[in-house]
């Protein structure tokens, strides 16, 4: 019997690396993001090559109807859900100073990163509680947060606020679901080479050169995926509400 994992944002960037790792670990996958399936053809094929059955669902995380459809289609195809990886997220379209931040951008970023993550987790957790117990744990939920949960960037305050909310969501759901044997943990990437950071590549190249990150290189989606897969595995049995920094040591305060 294979586990079924939902991976939001699972067809590109960090989410794709997570999907690949979970496919290698023997999971079937429901992959969710905004584009049409055709756009991710090669990515989804790479998951099937790793032995996974894959179902793609197109929708937006900030839509209640789309979240419900994601769960409904997952159940129709696979019958259950054992793992939820909340990877999907957006940065602000424009990096504006905190004093210029717009409500529109705040609503968009918080709506996807925070509200979408919280209510999809609520939906999937209810499903996990209602289904037959087949594996060592009833469920694993992993949030892809960010170092921005605790690091101030005044040119993208709404993103930092959204990731701080994800950090609290990790604690809240971990607390609520611990006695139900559903483990909820979080991975906090630092600066990872994906489409999201492509627009600010030069800035981060310079910071790496200046030694801002103790491990002096860009992080890779695979670096993050290893940590997410660990939290999804049976190796984790007595840990919930925790987060792991995958940030090249960026969180270390220095003098
Ligand atoms: N890259 C970094 O340095 C970094 C650092 C810390 C945290 N993170 C976090 O890591 C996660 C993945 O980021 P990434 O770097 O891999 O970025 P990315 O390459 O831009 O990928 C973002 C993913 O989220 C999906 N997504 C965006 N909006 C969505 C929506 N409304 N509904 C459903 N799916 C949506 C995207 O799907 P589409 O293809 O449909 O757009 C895509 O799959 C995010 O939560 C991000 O905040 C990234």
């Amino acid at each position: 019997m294979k586990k079924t994992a939902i991976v939001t944002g699972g067809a590109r960037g960090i989410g794709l690396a997570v999907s690949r790792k979970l496919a290698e670990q023997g999971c079937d996958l429901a992959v969710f993001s905004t584009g049409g399936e055709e756009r991710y053809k090669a990515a989804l094929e790479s998951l099937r090559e790793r032995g996974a059955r894959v179902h793609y669902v197109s929708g937006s995380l900030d839509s209640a109807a789309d979240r419900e459809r994601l769960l409904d289609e997952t159940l129709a195809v696979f019958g259950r859900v054992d793992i939820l990886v909340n990877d999907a997220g957006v940065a602000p379209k424009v990096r504006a100073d905190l004093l210029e931040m717009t409500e529109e951008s705040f609503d968009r970023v918080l709506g996807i990163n925070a509200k979408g993550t919280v209510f999809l987790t609520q939906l999937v957790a209810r499903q996990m509680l209602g289904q037959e117990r087949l594996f060592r744990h009833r469920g694993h939920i992993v949030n892809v947060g960010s170092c921005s949960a605790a690091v101030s960037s005044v040119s993208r305050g709404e993103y930092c606020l959204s990731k701080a909310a994800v950090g609290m969501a990790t604690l809240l759901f971990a607390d609520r679901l611990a006695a139900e044997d559903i483990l909820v943990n979080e991975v906090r990437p630092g600066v990872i080479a994906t489409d999201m950071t492509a627009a600010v590549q030069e800035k981060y190249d310079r910071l790496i050169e200046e030694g801002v990150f103790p491990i002096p290189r860009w992080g890779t989606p695979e670096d993050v995926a290893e940590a997410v897969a660990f939290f999804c595995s049976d190796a984790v049995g007595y840990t919930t509400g925790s987060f792991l920094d995958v940030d090249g040591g960026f969180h270390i305060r220095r003098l």
Side-chain angles (χ1 to χ4, degrees):
M1 184 84 195
K2 293 180 106 183
K3 287 185 183 173
T4 300
I6 291 177
V7 184
T8 67
R12 66 186 181 91
I14 291 169
L16 176 58
V18 169
S19 296
R20 286 183 173 148
K21 193 78 202 162
L22 293 180
E24 286 162 10
Q25 289 187 350
C27 294
D28 288 329
L29 294 162
V31 173
F32 179 70
S33 52
T34 65
E37 185 162 1
E38 196 56 30
R39 184 174 153 202
Y40 312 104
K41 206 172 162 204
L44 299 176
E45 198 44 49
S46 76
L47 303 177
R48 295 189 176 104
E49 281 163 8
R50 286 166 169 79
R53 286 195 297 153
V54 180
H55 180 67
Y56 178 76
V57 182
S58 171
S60 189
L61 189 57
D62 57 354
S63 155
D66 289 356
R67 292 190 300 267
E68 271 163 34
R69 197 164 40 77
L70 167 60
L71 181 61
D72 289 348
E73 289 190 26
T74 302
L75 297 178
V77 175
F78 301 115
R80 54 188 290 118
V81 49
D82 306 290
I83 292 169
L84 169 65
V85 178
N86 286 308
D87 167 80
V90 290
K93 286 180 182 161
V94 178
R95 288 194 172 205
D97 180 78
L98 189 61
L99 302 185
E100 307 299 329
M101 183 176 76
T102 64
E103 287 196 34
E104 188 190 4
S105 180
F106 181 99
D107 286 346
R108 172 179 169 267
V109 173
L110 273 286
I112 296 168
N113 297 3
K115 186 187 82 173
T117 296
V118 165
F119 285 99
L120 181 61
T121 303
Q122 185 192 64
L123 197 63
V124 171
R126 284 192 205 135
Q127 167 60 29
M128 286 173 168
L129 289 176
Q131 69 195 14
E132 189 192 349
R133 211 187 150 119
L134 292 181
F135 302 103
R136 184 172 166 214
H137 298 291
R138 191 175 256 171
H140 295 266
I141 298 172
V142 182
N143 293 329
V144 179
S146 172
C147 63
S148 296
V151 175
S152 162
S153 296
V154 294
S155 64
R156 48 192 180 107
E158 62 275 59
Y159 183 77
C160 299
L161 287 161
S162 75
K163 291 300 184 176
V166 169
M168 180 47 79
T170 302
L171 292 179
L172 286 165
F173 281 106
D175 185 11
R176 175 62 182 82
L177 298 171
E180 309 285 1
D181 197 23
I182 297 172
L183 305 174
V184 186
N185 290 292
E186 178 178 342
V187 175
R188 292 192 179 171
V191 171
I192 311 298
T194 67
D195 294 343
M196 186 177 275
T197 46
V200 283
Q201 190 190 332
E202 279 176 23
K203 174 186 170 178
Y204 290 134
D205 280 345
R206 200 175 58 245
L207 292 179
I208 289 167
E209 228 167 78
E210 289 168 0
V212 168
F213 307 104
I215 299 176
R217 68 165 174 85
W218 283 81
T220 65
E222 290 72 27
D223 288 327
V224 183
E226 291 285 351
V228 172
F230 170 70
F231 277 134
C232 292
S233 76
D234 285 343
V236 177
Y238 197 53
T239 299
T240 196
S242 292
F243 68 85
L244 186 60
D245 293 303
V246 181
D247 64 350
F250 181 50
H251 63 281
I252 300 168
R253 296 177 77 186
R254 292 157 138 181
L255 200 56

